[in-house]
């Protein structure tokens, strides 16, 4: 006769409260270490969200208390959002933002994976450390310096034009930053160069967690290095790739302010103006704070929806998701 399944006794509310207090007391030092990060998130991430109310009012800055002036401003509802959608700049701004972000994603996302796999296959420790150091350094350089390096390289007397002339691909210097059709590619390649080494750290960490016995067994079965990468390394990298891809697609409207602002100019503005630079120009330079807040809120809402949708699709298709 089968034994009846034992049902664990339900704890009372008092027992659950006592257990929660016990956990807090036992983990008090870890919770104290967490407190600064928690306070930072509250004061710098959540409390400022009250300012989103500015997107629904006609706020005009003046002397006096900020919050008093904000909540006393005329409520206009969704007027600023309608103005943005009906504005003639909407198509251009969205085109530039999506095109620049997606081109950057297509180029910059697989490169760190390839770097991590290549570094994992390198046996020379000195060469491996040298490549890692050189590829990591651009991440720690400010975009102000990085933009000046890119501008110098792409100038009429820069190294890029010198190489093109040496290869007989052009007779005259190409003014890359004065022609909008090159701008998206410049930003995408610049982002890739600056972040590829640093982003490869995540994939190197994932590769280091793979059981070495799998590679040894593959060698015994006659698998070469490329087969080991295909059948062992890449499948184990899949969860990490999926999570990072979900996060990257969530930022599809976050093309990056620094690079577009520093590399953009009046000649390529039709291709360099994205949501972040557009809201900055209208918010700070034109003092249309409510309009800029509406544009920023639109960006955040779309990013949130993209994360949820891509995460749901990944969960259904690959049974892997962020949450």
């Amino acid at each position: 006769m089968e034994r009846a399944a034992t049902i664990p006794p339900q704890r009372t509310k008092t027992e659950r409260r006592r257990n929660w207090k016990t956990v807090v007391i036992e983990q008090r030092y870890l919770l104290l270490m967490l407190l600064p990060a928690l306070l930072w998130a509250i004061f710098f991430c959540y409390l400022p969200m009250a300012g989103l109310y500015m997107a629904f009012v006609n706020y005009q800055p003046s002397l006096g208390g900020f919050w008093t002036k904000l909540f006393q401003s005329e409520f206009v509802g969704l007027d600023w959002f309608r103005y943005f959608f009906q504005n003639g700049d909407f198509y251009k701004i969205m085109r530039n933002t999506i095109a620049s972000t997606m081109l950057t994603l297509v180029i910059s996302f697989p490169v760190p994976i390839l770097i991590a796999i290549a570094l994992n296959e390198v046996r020379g420790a000195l060469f491996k450390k040298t490549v890692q150091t050189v590829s990591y350094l651009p991440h720690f350089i400010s975009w102000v310096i990085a933009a000046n390096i890119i501008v110098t390289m792409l100038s009429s007397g820069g190294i890029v034009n010198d190489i093109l002339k040496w290869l007989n691909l052009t007779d005259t210097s190409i003014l890359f930053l004065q022609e909008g059709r090159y701008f998206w590619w410049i930003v995408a390649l610049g982002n890739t160069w600056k972040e590829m080494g640093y982003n490869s750290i995540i994939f190197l960490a994932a590769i280091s967690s793979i059981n070495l016995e799998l590679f040894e067994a593959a060698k015994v079965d006659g698998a070469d290095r490329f087969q080991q990468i295909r059948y062992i390394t890449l499948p184990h990298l899949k969860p990490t790739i999926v999570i990072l891809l979900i996060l990257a697609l969530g930022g599809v409207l976050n093309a990056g302010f620094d690079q577009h602002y520093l590399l953009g100019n009046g000649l390529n503005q039709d291709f360099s103006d994205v949501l972040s630079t557009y809201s900055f120009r209208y918010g700070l330079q034109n003092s249309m704070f409510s309009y800029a807040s509406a544009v920023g809120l639109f960006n955040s809402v779309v990013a949130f929806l993209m994360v949820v949708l891509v995460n749901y699709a990944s969960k259904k298709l690959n049974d892997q998701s962020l949450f």
Side-chain angles (χ1 to χ4, degrees):
M1 181 182 296
E2 296 182 359
R3 290 182 299 177
T6 57
I7 302 176
Q10 297 294 325
R11 293 183 301 172
T12 64
K13 186 175 182 180
T14 304
E15 291 174 337
R16 289 196 299 268
R17 186 183 298 112
R18 186 182 299 113
N19 184 59
W20 179 81
K21 291 180 180 179
T22 303
V23 171
V24 171
I25 293 173
E26 292 177 350
Q27 306 291 340
R28 58 187 181 277
Y29 296 115
L30 294 177
L31 293 173
L32 285 175
M33 293 174 63
L34 181 65
L35 185 60
L38 182 62
L39 292 176
W40 178 89
I42 292 173
F43 284 103
F44 292 96
C45 297
Y46 288 97
L47 288 182
M49 290 179 67
L52 293 175
Y53 180 70
M54 189 183 297
F56 304 96
V57 299
N58 186 18
Y59 172 75
Q60 296 296 330
S62 62
L63 296 177
F66 167 76
W67 294 108
T68 302
K69 182 65 178 177
L70 175 63
F71 290 109
Q72 289 179 351
S73 299
E74 177 189 1
F75 184 80
V76 296
L78 300 177
D79 287 356
W80 289 117
F81 295 93
R82 296 191 189 96
Y83 178 75
F84 176 56
F85 297 143
Q86 296 171 2
N87 194 338
D89 293 333
F90 177 76
Y91 167 76
K92 180 184 71 174
I93 299 301
M94 294 300 296
R95 180 203 65 182
N96 295 343
T97 303
I98 296 175
S100 180
T101 306
M102 295 307 295
L103 187 59
T104 298
L105 180 62
V106 169
I107 297 176
S108 66
F109 190 81
V111 171
I113 302 174
L114 297 176
I115 291 176
I117 294 174
L119 288 175
N120 184 64
E121 296 298 322
V122 172
R123 296 294 176 260
L126 179 61
F127 178 78
K128 184 176 182 178
K129 291 180 179 179
T130 302
V131 173
Q132 285 179 307
T133 303
V134 172
S135 62
Y136 295 169
L137 280 178
H139 171 79
F140 301 99
I141 298 175
S142 167
W143 258 112
V144 176
I145 300 175
N148 277 279
I149 294 174
I150 295 173
V151 170
T152 303
M153 293 178 62
L154 297 177
S155 64
S156 58
I159 187 173
V160 174
N161 274 303
D162 290 343
I163 293 175
L164 292 176
K165 291 177 182 177
W166 181 70
L167 295 174
N168 293 322
L169 296 176
T170 181
D171 296 327
T172 58
S173 296
I174 300 175
L175 304 177
F176 290 99
L177 290 173
Q178 297 183 22
E179 298 186 30
R181 57 198 176 107
Y182 298 120
F183 189 83
W184 298 338
W185 290 96
I186 293 172
V187 170
L189 294 174
N191 284 326
T192 303
W193 161 71
K194 194 171 186 300
E195 302 296 337
M196 61 182 183
Y198 188 79
N199 291 340
S200 67
I201 296 175
I202 300 175
F203 298 104
L204 278 170
I207 293 174
S208 65
S209 66
I210 302 175
N211 191 344
L212 295 179
E213 293 181 359
L214 295 175
F215 294 101
E216 296 297 332
K219 290 179 182 179
V220 172
D221 291 337
D224 57 27
R225 284 194 174 186
F226 289 103
Q227 291 173 327
Q228 293 175 36
I229 293 172
R230 179 180 178 182
Y231 295 107
I232 299 177
T233 306
L234 288 177
H236 281 81
L237 283 179
K238 184 179 177 181
T240 305
I241 293 173
V242 170
I243 297 301
L244 293 178
L245 185 60
I246 291 172
L247 295 174
L249 289 174
V252 67
L253 295 186
N254 185 19
F257 172 79
D258 295 340
Q259 52 270 52
H260 287 84
Y261 182 76
L262 295 169
L263 295 174
N265 54 57
L267 296 175
N268 60 30
Q269 187 173 358
D270 288 340
F271 292 84
S272 64
D273 204 13
V274 294
L275 278 171
S276 55
T277 57
Y278 181 78
S279 59
F280 168 79
R281 189 170 70 253
Y282 275 87
L284 294 182
Q285 296 181 348
N286 297 346
S287 298
M288 296 176 64
F289 295 99
S290 293
Y291 181 52
S293 299
V295 175
L297 181 56
F298 166 76
N299 187 357
S300 301
V301 171
V302 172
F304 173 76
L305 293 177
M306 283 295 297
V307 169
V308 173
L309 291 174
V310 175
N311 183 78
Y312 176 79
S314 175
K315 191 173 184 179
K316 289 295 183 182
L317 296 176
N318 300 317
D319 198 24
Q320 294 176 347
S321 60
L322 183 62
F323 51 86

